[in-house]
């Protein structure tokens, strides 16, 4: 499917209906549209359309390649490749990365101290845990369970450019564990308001650097119980990007092959053009050489008939003969 057809499809029916028909995840399909700069109908668009109210269709951004291929099969493969692990496996041993993080966190007393110190220690390859002292123990326990279950799925931790990533299929995604703070606006006695950050005892796990996704403790479920769904999301994300980049590599390879073919065609065309130009040039030079040759013979006969043929004439004839041979392609 080309980008223009996908755009028309998005504006022909609701996204949930498209996802059901195509058997792909709603979140993945919406992300695909965002990445390809395809505008989506605003909230209430289909309701207004159903009741005959005026609606407007957002055009594709200028410069968007409408003939670019978009493969929806990649999203279907992602869905098929996901292996859900409903059971949480609890390790008997403490992971070496957790031991290292615990050692680093012993001097941390507050969330601000945690954030500052962990940022400063990024180059030491420390797990990204940003909590106060009270929540540290649970955060470390969460990370230990997370790492064990993650490795059971074939994933591993990779530190790069001061960031902590989960790696699978040579694709990476940022991770971060922090204590949740809420923004609260307060007023003093004079009525002046200010914004403060109020600490909670909830943990929040985040993935990604741009399109972030987070999992937060709530009254019904703690994020420890969300580890399987977190890993499902990470695996799905990394599988998706593996397939996308594999497809991009294949497309790039095809482009290189087509470019090579085109260059070969242009090379042969240039050779043909050069041969044609040389042909016309040789024909013209041969014609000029024949004309000079006739002139040389005529001059020689003229000198003989007048009785003025001498050594100087012989030298001139030799010189002209050389020039004619240089010009004549049949002699060269």
């Amino acid at each position: 499917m080309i980008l223009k057809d996908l755009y028309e499809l998005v504006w022909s029916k609701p996204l949930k209906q498209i996802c059901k028909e195509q058997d792909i995840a709603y979140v993945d399909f919406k992300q695909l549209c965002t990445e390809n700069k395809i505008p989506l109908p605003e909230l209430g668009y289909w309701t207004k359309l159903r009741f005959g109210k005026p609606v407007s269709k957002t055009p594709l951004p200028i410069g968007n390649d409408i003939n670019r291929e978009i493969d929806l099969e990649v999203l279907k493969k992602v869905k098929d490749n996901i292996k859900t692990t409903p059971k949480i496996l609890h390790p008997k041993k403490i992971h070496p990365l957790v031991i290292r993080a615990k050692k680093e966190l012993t001097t941390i007393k507050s969330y601000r101290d945690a954030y500052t110190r962990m940022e400063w220690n990024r180059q030491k390859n420390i797990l990204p845990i940003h909590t106060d002292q009270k929540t540290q123990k649970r955060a470390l326990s969460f990370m230990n369970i997370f790492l064990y279950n993650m490795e059971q799925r074939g994933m591993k931790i990779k530190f790069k450019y001061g960031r902590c990533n989960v790696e699978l299929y040579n694709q990476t995604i940022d991770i971060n564990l922090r204590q949740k703070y809420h923004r609260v606006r307060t007023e003093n006695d004079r009525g002046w308001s200010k914004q403060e950050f109020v600490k909670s005892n909830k943990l929040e796990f985040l993935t990604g650097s741009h399109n972030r996704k987070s999992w937060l403790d709530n009254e019904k479920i703690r994020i420890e119980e969300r580890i399987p769904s977190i890993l499902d999301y990470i695996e799905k994300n990394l599988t998706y990007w593996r397939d996308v980049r594999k497809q991009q590599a294949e497309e790039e390879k095809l482009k290189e092959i087509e470019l090579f073919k085109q260059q070969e065609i242009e090379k042969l065309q240039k050779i043909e053009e050069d041969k044609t130009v040389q042909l016309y040039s040789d024909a013209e030079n041969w014609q000029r050489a024949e004309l000079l040759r006739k002139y040389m013979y005529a001059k020689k006969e003229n000198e003989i008939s007048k009785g003025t043929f001498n050594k100087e004439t012989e030298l001139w004839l030799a010189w002209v003969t050389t020039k004619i041979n240089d010009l004549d392609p049949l002699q060269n």
Side-chain angles (χ1 to χ4, degrees):
M1 179 181 292
I2 61 173
L3 188 140
K4 183 181 178 183
D5 292 341
L6 182 59
Y7 167 75
E8 296 296 339
L9 177 64
V10 165
W11 287 88
S12 67
K13 59 187 76 172
L15 293 190
K16 288 185 178 179
Q17 184 180 340
I18 296 171
C19 293
K20 186 176 180 180
E21 292 173 357
Q22 297 290 334
D23 192 29
I24 55 181
Y26 176 83
V27 175
D28 294 335
F29 184 73
K30 191 173 180 181
Q31 183 181 354
L32 180 72
C33 293
T34 302
E35 289 167 356
N36 288 281
K37 299 179 181 179
I38 297 174
L40 301 175
E42 61 183 8
L43 190 65
Y45 175 88
W46 299 108
T47 304
K48 291 179 182 178
L49 193 66
R50 189 164 60 251
F51 286 97
K53 294 184 178 181
V55 291
S56 58
K57 188 175 176 181
T58 308
L60 278 166
I62 297 173
N64 217 347
D65 184 3
I66 61 174
N67 294 315
R68 181 153 48 86
E69 287 289 337
I70 305 294
D71 189 5
L72 295 182
E73 292 299 320
V74 173
L75 297 182
K76 295 179 183 179
K77 289 177 184 177
V78 168
K79 186 176 180 181
D80 293 339
N81 289 340
I82 297 307
K83 299 175 183 177
T84 305
T85 308
K87 186 178 180 181
I88 303 171
L89 305 175
H90 293 269
K92 296 179 180 180
K93 296 182 179 179
I94 301 176
H95 197 282
L97 288 175
V98 175
I99 294 173
R100 189 190 305 170
K102 183 178 181 181
K103 183 179 179 182
E104 195 65 31
L105 288 168
T106 51
T107 56
I108 293 173
K109 306 297 181 184
S110 66
Y111 174 83
R112 183 178 293 277
D113 187 19
Y115 190 83
T116 304
R117 187 170 177 80
M118 293 298 282
E119 286 291 310
W120 183 76
N121 281 304
R122 273 186 167 186
Q123 297 303 324
K124 292 186 177 181
N125 297 342
I126 305 299
L127 290 172
I129 299 174
H130 308 296
T131 66
D132 62 13
Q133 197 173 31
K134 183 179 179 182
T135 322
Q136 280 174 23
K137 184 176 180 180
R138 184 186 161 209
L140 289 167
S141 174
F142 170 87
M143 271 297 190
N144 200 48
I145 299 169
F146 174 81
L147 292 176
Y148 180 75
N149 284 268
M150 176 200 76
E151 290 175 349
Q152 291 296 308
R153 294 193 181 203
M155 306 180 204
K156 61 181 180 181
I157 291 293
K158 184 174 183 180
F159 294 95
K160 188 176 182 181
Y161 304 125
R163 294 183 177 276
C164 179
N165 304 293
V166 173
E167 182 184 47
L168 181 67
Y169 308 130
N170 292 321
Q171 308 300 319
T172 59
I173 187 171
D174 288 2
I175 61 167
N176 187 28
L177 180 64
R178 67 185 184 184
Q179 185 173 355
K180 184 65 176 176
Y181 271 60
H182 300 284
R183 293 182 182 181
V184 177
R185 187 164 289 280
T186 59
E187 290 187 3
N188 58 18
D189 297 338
R190 297 182 180 181
W192 292 95
S193 65
K194 65 176 182 178
Q195 186 173 265
E196 294 182 348
F197 288 91
V198 178
K199 178 178 66 175
S200 74
N201 291 323
K202 295 180 179 180
L203 287 179
E204 182 180 27
F205 187 86
L206 300 98
T207 62
S209 54
H210 300 293
N211 297 322
R212 280 193 166 186
K213 182 171 177 60
S214 65
W215 292 263
L216 181 66
D217 282 330
N218 59 40
E219 295 177 358
K220 295 182 179 180
I221 186 169
R222 287 152 59 99
I223 62 168
E224 286 87 347
E225 298 173 57
R226 297 178 184 267
I227 287 176
S229 61
I230 293 172
L231 292 173
D232 281 346
Y233 174 82
I234 292 174
E235 186 173 352
K236 180 171 66 174
N237 182 281
L238 298 180
T239 304
Y240 168 78
W241 284 112
R242 177 202 63 180
D243 292 341
V244 166
R245 282 166 185 145
K246 182 180 178 181
Q247 182 182 349
Q248 289 173 341
E250 289 173 354
E251 290 174 355
E252 192 64 31
K253 189 175 181 180
L254 288 174
K255 284 181 182 179
E256 290 177 0
I257 292 171
E258 288 300 318
L259 179 61
F260 177 76
K261 287 180 180 179
Q262 185 61 35
Q263 288 173 342
E264 286 298 305
I265 291 171
E266 291 174 358
K267 184 179 177 180
L268 292 173
Q269 287 175 343
K270 182 67 168 59
I271 291 172
E272 187 65 23
E273 289 172 4
D274 290 345
K275 285 169 67 177
T276 304
V277 170
Q278 187 65 46
L279 176 63
Y280 285 117
S281 176
D282 288 346
E284 289 174 2
N285 287 337
W286 175 80
Q287 200 171 33
R288 290 167 64 193
E290 285 296 300
L291 182 63
L292 288 173
R293 193 174 283 115
K294 288 179 181 180
Y295 172 72
M296 181 185 71
Y297 291 146
K299 183 174 177 61
K300 179 181 178 182
E301 291 297 325
N302 185 53
E303 290 288 331
I304 293 172
S305 64
K306 287 183 177 181
T308 57
F309 189 89
N310 54 24
K311 186 66 175 177
E312 185 178 342
T313 304
E314 287 182 357
L315 291 173
W316 182 84
L317 290 171
W319 174 77
V320 172
T321 300
T322 303
K323 289 297 179 183
I324 291 172
N325 290 338
D326 289 343
L327 184 62
D328 189 351
L330 299 181
Q331 297 294 326
N332 249 336

